[in-house]
Amino acid sequence: MNNEQIIEQLKEIIRPYVLDQSALETLTETTDFINDLKINSANLVDVILDIEEKYSIVIDNESMERMINVAAAMDIIKTKLAEKS
């Protein structure tokens, strides 16, 4: 799975939680979930749970704390998927 595929899947996962939909359309690896997309911390937990469900992975607390932007989310998803295979 390449970066573009993961970004497209992340867009679909986070879409219901984003307050600034225009920012979602310009989402890149540097997009910050809280500052750019205006996702509150409670909804960020929902995003992480949705990511776990989508990819059938478990994201530990340390990884959750790092998951503040798209690049970190992609890195964590790739790492967890690699651990599974």
Side-chain angles (χ1 to χ4, degrees):
M1 184 174 320
N2 67 34
N3 287 354
E4 289 176 10
Q5 291 171 313
I6 294 175
I7 286 177
E8 285 307 310
Q9 291 173 352
L10 279 174
K11 277 185 182 180
E12 293 311 308
I13 291 169
I14 63 178
R15 185 177 307 279
Y17 308 106
V18 174
L19 295 181
D20 185 353
Q21 291 294 323
S22 63
L24 183 64
E25 298 311 315
T26 58
L27 184 125
T28 66
E29 291 184 28
T30 59
T31 301
D32 183 283
F33 291 129
I34 295 172
N35 296 323
D36 297 329
L37 299 177
K38 311 295 185 230
I39 298 175
N40 67 38
S41 56
N43 284 342
L44 195 52
V45 172
D46 292 329
V47 168
I48 291 169
L49 293 172
D50 290 349
I51 289 171
E52 287 181 322
E53 185 177 326
K54 166 83 177 164
Y55 295 101
S56 299
I57 58 176
V58 175
I59 299 173
D60 56 79
N61 288 340
E62 182 181 318
S63 296
M64 280 185 202
E65 290 172 11
R66 288 188 9 238
M67 198 179 287
I68 57 171
N69 60 33
V70 173
M74 291 171 50
D75 182 49
I76 291 163
I77 290 167
K78 288 180 186 176
T79 301
K80 297 297 180 183
L81 288 174
E83 289 172 1
K84 277 180 47 175
S85 51

